[in-house]
Amino acid sequence: MVITIGVLMGMLLASLDQTIVGTALPRIAAELDGLAMYAWVGTAYLVASATMVPISGRLGDLFGRKRFIIIGMGGFLAASALCGMSQTMAQLIVFRGIQGLFGGVLMSSVFAVIADLYAPKVRARMQGIFSGTFALAAVIGPTAGGILTDSLGWRWVFYINLPLGLAALAVIIRGMPAVRTTASRRDIDVFGAVSLAATVVPLLTALSLSRDHEWSSPLVLGLLAFSVVALGIFVRIERRQRHPIVPFDLFRVPAFTTAIVVGFFSAVGMFGVSLFVPLVYQGVLGLSASASGKLVTPMMLGMLVG
């Protein structure tokens, strides 16, 4: 139970960061004079995280979860400190990208570690508790971000990660068992990882560039075309791999495919609202960051109940 609490604290840390920053972002953009790059603060994190989740998850399958949870949490905390010290919007975007890489490592390992700690008959119950923790972070994150921004300044939405994360890291280092495996470096799907990154990064970059470029612009179309070609290469590689990053046989299971589709649309809604609704509240309606956070909370509460 102590290990589970430590892992839950680590998950709360990564989950909070995704919602707490959204409320502070309009103030950050104003102080760092970076409204034109507003969306890239969120995009940098999501591009890096989306790329790392399946890669680090597969590596955790092969070599055990503990080392990846420690790496993910330690790197996430260091990147949080760097984000808080950012002096320009460009610096913040770079540091958010680094934070997203380690956040992806942490999130993939946290959910998968349930299988290492619990027997099958209690895994579903623990999965519910872990998912509930993620939803709880979504509920309290916007309000916490607003209060921190108005009282201590926006940099504290990043610094607040440090005490919670260090406590969780200490618990995991001391108490979590390391699972030994027989895997070797030859089992790592390097080409699959590279082709996955080549698919995800251009795709999300093209979608983000559509704010300043027409959909028919050569840059956007080129990135989308590159992503499609890379996806075809990725699928071909994965079907031949002994230890693929994404086992495509899973998509034959209706419950798995349905969950992926639902997760996709709910994530689009959640991240879209978390990033842009606070900008309307603060930048257009002139509300404080605290009031903005409270007004976003009902949507997140609906997610928790659901």
Side-chain angles (χ1 to χ4, degrees):
M1 291 306 299
V2 172
I3 299 167
T4 302
I5 291 171
V7 174
L8 282 171
M9 288 170 62
M11 182 181 176
L12 182 65
L13 168 76
S15 304
L16 265 176
D17 187 80
Q18 297 178 28
T19 54
I20 200 171
V21 174
T23 312
L25 200 49
R27 184 76 59 83
I28 296 172
E31 289 192 14
L32 298 182
D33 193 24
L35 188 60
M37 296 185 286
Y38 180 90
W40 282 98
V41 177
T43 300
Y45 186 96
L46 293 176
V47 168
S49 178
T51 303
M52 280 305 299
V53 163
I55 295 172
S56 60
R58 191 65 185 120
L59 291 174
D61 290 342
L62 293 173
F63 301 107
R65 310 285 172 200
K66 182 175 181 178
R67 70 180 69 182
F68 289 99
I69 291 181
I70 293 172
I71 291 171
M73 198 173 294
F76 187 89
L77 293 175
S80 295
L82 291 173
C83 287
M85 293 186 287
S86 299
Q87 300 301 312
T88 66
M89 202 67 163
Q91 285 181 5
L92 179 61
I93 290 169
V94 171
F95 295 147
R96 283 288 283 172
I98 297 172
Q99 192 181 34
L101 288 174
F102 289 105
V105 174
L106 180 58
M107 288 299 289
S108 66
S109 303
V110 161
F111 272 103
V113 80
I114 296 173
D116 293 342
L117 297 178
Y118 293 96
K121 64 180 180 180
V122 295
R123 284 178 194 166
R125 189 187 317 153
M126 296 308 302
Q127 191 81 29
I129 293 174
F130 275 61
S131 299
T133 302
F134 180 84
L136 178 64
V139 170
I140 64 177
T143 302
I147 293 172
L148 286 171
T149 301
D150 285 341
S151 58
L152 299 176
W154 64 264
R155 297 182 188 277
W156 280 92
V157 302
F158 299 107
Y159 293 151
I160 197 68
N161 292 334
L162 301 180
L164 179 65
L166 289 172
L169 189 59
V171 170
I172 290 170
I173 291 174
R174 287 181 60 86
M176 186 175 178
V179 179
R180 293 185 179 182
T181 67
T182 57
S184 66
R185 292 182 180 180
R186 289 176 296 179
D187 296 320
I188 300 175
D189 183 9
V190 176
F191 294 109
V194 172
S195 58
L196 175 63
T199 301
V200 174
V201 174
L203 173 63
L204 294 183
T205 303
L207 296 176
S208 300
L209 287 174
S210 63
R211 174 188 178 276
D212 303 310
H213 297 73
E214 296 292 334
W215 283 101
S216 57
S217 73
L219 179 59
V220 173
L221 289 177
L223 287 170
L224 291 175
F226 186 91
S227 180
V228 170
V229 172
L231 176 61
I233 296 172
F234 174 69
V235 172
R236 188 169 183 177
I237 290 172
E238 294 303 275
R239 290 190 179 280
R240 298 180 176 182
Q241 269 292 331
R242 180 185 171 195
H243 298 290
I245 291 174
V246 179
F248 285 100
D249 290 344
L250 286 174
F251 289 96
R252 297 176 183 174
V253 182
F256 176 83
T257 305
T258 303
I260 292 296
V261 172
V262 170
F264 172 82
F265 285 109
S266 63
V268 169
M270 187 186 80
F271 289 117
V273 169
S274 299
L275 276 175
F276 293 107
V277 170
L279 181 61
V280 175
Y281 286 149
Q282 297 175 49
V284 179
L285 302 180
L287 299 177
S288 68
S290 299
S292 171
K294 292 174 183 175
L295 288 169
V296 174
T297 297
M299 184 203 76
M300 303 302 187
L301 187 61
M303 189 173 97
L304 174 60
V305 174

